[in-house]
Amino acid sequence: MTPTIASSSPTVWRTLLALAVIFVLLATSGWTGPPRARTVPADAWGAAAAAWRADRIGGRPLPGLTAPSARLAAFFASLRPAQRNRLAERHPLLVGNLDGVPVRLRYQANRHTLRRALAAERARVADRRLSAEGRGEAARRVHRFSSLLSGARQILAFDPSGKGRVAEVFGDLERAERVSVVVPGVDTHLLTFEKTARRYTAPYGMAESLYAAQRAAEPRVRTAVIAWADYTAPTGVGMDAMTGKLAAEGSLRLASLTRALPGSSRVSLFCHSYGSVVCGLAARRLPPRVADIAVAGSPGMRAETAAALGTRARVWAMRDADDWIADVPHLDVGGLGHGADPVAPEFGARLLSADGAAGHGGYFVPGTESLRNFAEIGVGTYEDVRCADAADRCRGGSSGAAPGGPA
């Protein structure tokens, strides 16, 4: 006899109900929606890689694109300035995105790629063979690329293919004593990298706000902040947002970035929403210089406890009282969902106050307790953070401590 749903176990019922709640809550709170129509430009990576492999500089072959960042750094350090500039002009897409390449050379190379991408999109705007929708998207990309080229913006990574990836630096990355990396979540791509409305929900606005708050909190500490949208984030909820596939791919890129940062700066990660899944999966691959992982509005970190993340970095968590993600069941059923709630006491993170942060996207808004706490962590003034409880337990906590940090 075939069993019916009525005869299913309570565990199955709870699982089905939880999955239904996930879909309904996320659908009604703006995370879901059909993928936006977009024109995907031809992928230039294959041609760029072939040109790189065929090239020589000073009679020497160029290092493999999968070489460790330390080897790439040594190779570029061995070149004369004119040779480095020549490679940035010949191979801007690769030089601008390779961890281990000197950061100022990456900025230079990415400006070359941006100019080429801008010219291509302007041609598409004028191409009457495209649909009105296609020309409209090209016009939006023209606006974005023009903005990224404006002033002295420091673009650490730029890939115009597909939805696009980008990373931008605030401050002097080479001289910084403390570096913060903002890791955003769902619906992050080139066209959402910065926004006019709801400015502080976009990676650019988040990082800009955090950088200003850190300078106000401790002007004597040399800081830099990276708006890191250099991974492929899910579009809407769908299966991509409910599983860890894209987060796993992004975690490799994030770990590579932290290993290749110049100097000996201490590093803090500030991970919002799905970005906290990326940070959770990256945790055990991070170098010792990463002192802090702070998550806000997290759907889970793909671990049952902070200790299970496998990192010596301090693990901090916060959630605003009216963040809708609190109502999403924190579970992992057959790979769907992202596991335990980081703000649950049993998870073991250091729980921070998020007073003033309105809703799921308000954690980086100036004047909020959430932003102030992030800034204090970023500059290393841990004694000034405000915990979620009156006993200030987050300053001790059980989530591990980086060398030199609080117990």
Side-chain angles (χ1 to χ4, degrees):
M1 178 178 175
T2 303
T4 65
I5 292 180
S7 65
S8 299
S9 70
T11 300
V12 172
W13 269 108
R14 285 195 295 269
T15 298
L16 292 173
L17 178 60
L19 292 174
V21 169
I22 288 175
F23 179 79
V24 171
L25 285 170
L26 297 183
T28 57
S29 54
W31 241 23
T32 62
R36 296 184 183 92
R38 58 183 175 83
T39 302
V40 182
D43 183 6
W45 280 92
W52 177 271
R53 288 191 294 268
D55 203 0
R56 298 288 185 275
I57 193 83
R60 290 188 290 163
L62 307 184
L65 296 174
T66 58
S69 59
R71 181 181 170 195
L72 288 167
F75 171 77
F76 277 91
S78 73
L79 300 178
R80 298 190 301 274
Q83 292 175 315
R84 289 195 289 268
N85 293 338
R86 194 177 312 142
L87 287 179
E89 292 172 4
R90 286 180 184 171
H91 310 282
L93 184 62
L94 297 179
V95 172
N97 289 281
L98 282 176
D99 291 327
V101 174
V103 295
R104 294 190 182 278
L105 193 64
R106 290 181 68 167
Y107 301 158
Q108 178 184 329
N110 285 321
R111 292 188 75 83
H112 288 310
T113 305
L114 272 162
R115 291 189 190 99
R116 296 179 185 182
L118 178 59
E121 294 300 331
R122 282 175 171 161
R124 293 180 65 236
V125 170
D127 188 347
R128 294 297 166 182
R129 295 171 297 178
L130 290 181
S131 66
E133 183 180 16
R135 292 197 303 275
E137 174 158 333
R140 290 191 292 274
R141 289 168 70 93
V142 164
H143 175 75
R144 173 64 61 247
F145 298 165
S146 298
S147 176
L148 291 172
L149 277 167
S150 64
R153 295 180 68 168
Q154 301 176 135
I155 308 304
L156 185 67
F158 175 71
D159 178 3
S161 62
K163 292 188 299 180
R165 297 195 299 256
V166 63
E168 180 169 4
V169 175
F170 294 81
D172 189 338
L173 191 57
E174 293 173 303
R175 297 182 63 249
E177 300 168 277
R178 307 278 310 199
V179 173
S180 298
V181 184
V182 174
V183 184
V186 165
D187 282 332
T188 295
H189 50 80
L190 272 173
L191 294 182
T192 61
F193 182 69
E194 52 185 316
K195 301 176 184 176
T196 301
R198 303 180 69 229
R199 178 183 186 90
Y200 303 110
T201 65
Y204 177 91
M206 292 176 178
E208 178 190 45
S209 179
L210 180 58
Y211 182 58
Q214 288 179 350
R215 297 180 74 187
E218 188 50 81
R220 294 170 298 180
V221 175
R222 297 192 304 273
T223 63
V225 178
I226 302 173
W228 191 78
D230 193 26
Y231 80 104
T232 300
T235 299
V237 164
M239 291 299 292
D240 281 340
M242 295 175 69
T243 66
K245 180 176 182 295
L246 293 180
E249 294 169 359
S251 72
L252 299 177
R253 300 179 68 85
L254 179 60
S256 177
L257 167 79
T258 57
R259 289 193 295 266
L261 290 172
S264 57
S265 56
R266 301 297 290 275
V267 179
S268 299
L269 306 182
F270 297 93
C271 321
H272 177 244
S273 195
Y274 188 84
S276 66
V277 186
V278 177
C279 292
L281 291 173
R284 65 181 61 253
R285 297 185 178 90
L286 299 173
R289 70 190 302 182
V290 177
D292 304 280
I293 303 172
V295 303
S298 174
M301 300 180 73
R302 295 250 147 190
E304 290 306 304
T305 64
L309 291 169
T311 178
R312 294 198 64 208
R314 304 170 193 84
V315 180
W316 310 82
M318 67 168 69
R319 186 170 65 220
D320 182 47
D322 60 358
D323 187 337
W324 55 260
I325 211 164
D327 297 321
V328 174
H330 286 78
L331 48 79
D332 181 352
V333 180
L336 293 177
H338 302 298
D341 185 352
V343 301
E346 57 270 23
F347 187 81
R350 301 164 186 254
L351 301 183
L352 295 163
S353 169
D355 285 357
H360 187 61
Y363 294 98
F364 290 84
V365 174
T368 58
E369 197 73 52
S370 52
L371 178 66
R372 191 184 75 82
N373 273 331
F374 280 168
E376 301 292 2
I377 291 169
V379 298
T381 51
Y382 303 104
E383 66 278 6
D384 292 330
V385 300
R386 182 181 170 193
C387 303
D389 66 322
D392 287 339
R393 284 191 290 262
C394 72
R395 293 180 191 156
S398 60
S399 62

